[in-house]
Amino acid sequence: MRIDMKKMLLMLLICKIGYSQTIQELDTRLKRVEDSLGINTEIVIDTTLSKPVYEGIILSSVNADILPIPYSPIQFNAGAYKLFVQKNNVCYILSSANGLNGWSYSLPLPIPYGTAMFTNENKINVAFHKWYSGKSYYYFSVSPDQRNFYDVSFIRDPHGEDITYIYDGVYKAYARMEVPPAVRTIGYMESNDFRTWSNLVEVLKPDVSDGANQFYSMSVVKTERGYFGLLNVFNPVTDLVSVQLVFSLNGKDNWQRLNDRNDFLEKKNGVKCLYGIGSIINSELQIVTISSKFSHSETDRNGRYYFTEKYKISLTELYKYLD
């Protein structure tokens, strides 16, 4: 038979001091008894939000840029971690057993400079942009063999640079609406076949609370709770880029700004500009970055190069940002 210690102590006190005492007096006396017995009936709820764990610099070079082809996530494919990168303006597929070091390089490949992802062990889809006569157009390319890439579609209306996508039964793409000097905002479009796309519709733009901030690009992942976005935020006044966290139930619209719009990724190693690219692997949000110790305009580059860092956060900790 289960005995409720608190109720038992309360009954004993009632018997001893009579019914004339108020409930408040009884609670005070009971608290003293509990303290003397070392009983703690308080429930403590941990509301601390954990930041993504910094795993370090995973790719760098003393004489060349080395970065994920924007905005290609780290992926687990064919028993290894894979990453599409550009080093010294040449593209490769890198493989690693742990996703942190020991990277092996493929032969140089004609991968378009955009978001590249495996659709199975062999096929690759890439969304990217090209410039013509001062205007930017979105293109879509596929590779059946990881060596040859074929353009299968393009958007005839000009938009901005920087496009990302995910696949969850349909292809969902997140792209910049207009070319600067227009304010950078995020648009959404989708496709069933990676060829025919809906019109790009603006779904996320800065408001008064953002001040000078503009939305450079957004990398999105799907979870059981909904869609989280790593929003790469550019401030043209400071000339810096940081990463904020956003959320949408359907991955299309009604994006919520989380974490009071504070930086989601903490900058390390003197980094000034940080672009986050996410994927879900082993119940974790794993994030690779395009990082630099110089500003967006690169006027202070001074012989320095872009490099790649890695962060991770469990989905359990990520979900706390919704509560």
Side-chain angles (χ1 to χ4, degrees):
M1 180 176 67
R2 181 182 176 185
I3 298 176
D4 190 312
M5 178 65 74
K6 185 169 184 177
K7 287 184 179 179
M8 183 178 73
L9 292 171
L10 184 60
M11 293 300 299
L12 290 173
L13 285 171
I14 290 174
C15 293
K16 182 176 181 180
I17 65 176
Y19 291 95
S20 61
Q21 300 290 348
T22 66
I23 295 298
Q24 183 177 1
E25 290 172 332
L26 290 173
D27 281 342
T28 300
R29 289 170 177 257
L30 178 58
K31 182 64 170 62
R32 291 172 182 168
V33 173
E34 287 177 338
D35 290 343
S36 66
L37 295 176
I39 299 173
N40 181 9
T41 58
E42 294 181 0
I43 299 176
V44 179
I45 300 176
D46 183 8
T47 59
T48 303
L49 295 177
S50 299
K51 290 284 190 178
V53 176
Y54 181 67
E55 295 192 278
I57 299 173
I58 62 171
L59 294 169
S60 64
S61 174
V62 296
N63 57 10
D65 293 326
I66 180 166
L67 64 154
I69 301 172
Y71 290 87
S72 302
I74 192 168
Q75 300 165 77
F76 194 78
N77 183 62
Y81 288 89
K82 302 290 181 70
L83 192 57
F84 296 89
V85 304
Q86 185 183 75
K87 181 177 182 180
N88 202 23
N89 297 317
V90 179
C91 295
Y92 305 88
I93 301 175
L94 272 57
S95 298
S96 167
N98 59 15
L100 296 173
N101 49 43
W103 295 97
S104 62
Y105 283 68
S106 69
L107 295 173
L109 295 170
I111 308 172
Y113 190 68
T115 298
M117 296 177 66
F118 288 99
T119 60
N120 56 41
E121 288 193 1
N122 294 308
K123 186 178 178 182
I124 299 166
N125 286 1
V126 189
F128 60 105
H129 71 271
K130 292 182 182 180
W131 284 93
Y132 291 102
S133 301
K135 295 181 179 180
S136 175
Y137 297 86
Y138 292 127
Y139 280 72
F140 304 89
S141 183
V142 301
S143 171
D145 56 9
Q146 301 187 32
R147 291 179 176 83
N148 301 289
F149 290 81
Y150 307 95
D151 292 350
V152 296
S153 178
F154 79 97
I155 306 298
R156 296 179 180 274
D157 296 324
H159 291 288
E161 300 176 282
D162 297 294
I163 179 171
T164 70
Y165 78 90
I166 61 172
Y167 179 76
D168 66 349
V170 298
Y171 293 96
K172 297 180 177 180
Y174 308 89
R176 189 183 301 167
M177 290 298 299
E178 304 290 344
V179 174
V183 173
R184 296 166 177 85
T185 65
I186 303 297
Y188 172 83
M189 59 183 174
E190 64 182 40
S191 171
N192 291 317
D193 58 7
F194 209 65
R195 288 166 172 79
T196 303
W197 292 84
S198 63
N199 292 330
L200 189 66
V201 177
E202 187 175 74
V203 293
L204 191 55
K205 63 181 180 179
D207 59 25
V208 174
S209 298
D210 285 300
N213 284 340
Q214 301 182 20
F215 301 157
Y216 205 90
S217 60
M218 183 168 70
S219 176
V220 175
V221 297
K222 182 184 179 182
T223 72
E224 291 181 352
R225 296 283 295 271
Y227 298 76
F228 288 86
L230 299 175
L231 186 64
N232 297 311
V233 178
F234 170 59
N235 187 309
V237 176
T238 62
D239 203 22
L240 304 179
V241 180
S242 58
V243 180
Q244 295 181 14
L245 187 66
V246 297
F247 176 80
S248 167
L249 281 173
N250 61 16
K252 299 180 181 181
D253 50 24
N254 297 317
W255 289 92
Q256 305 172 37
R257 310 289 295 279
L258 304 181
N259 195 34
D260 293 327
R261 310 190 189 201
N262 294 316
D263 289 358
F264 182 56
L265 300 183
E266 294 184 356
K267 293 178 180 177
K268 307 286 187 178
N269 308 309
V271 164
K272 290 186 176 182
C273 289
L274 185 67
Y275 307 77
I277 310 162
S279 58
I280 303 298
I281 302 175
N282 297 329
S283 298
E284 294 177 329
L285 171 58
Q286 299 198 12
I287 304 165
V288 291
T289 72
I290 301 170
S291 302
S292 73
K293 296 184 180 181
F294 45 86
S295 59
H296 171 264
S297 66
E298 302 187 8
T299 54
D300 56 342
R301 196 186 243 256
N302 299 327
R304 290 174 289 195
Y305 298 95
Y306 287 100
F307 56 98
T308 304
E309 300 174 286
K310 190 167 181 288
Y311 298 74
K312 68 177 181 180
I313 184 172
S314 70
L315 292 182
T316 300
E317 294 299 318
L318 181 65
Y319 293 154
K320 290 181 181 179
Y321 284 85
L322 297 176
D323 300 330

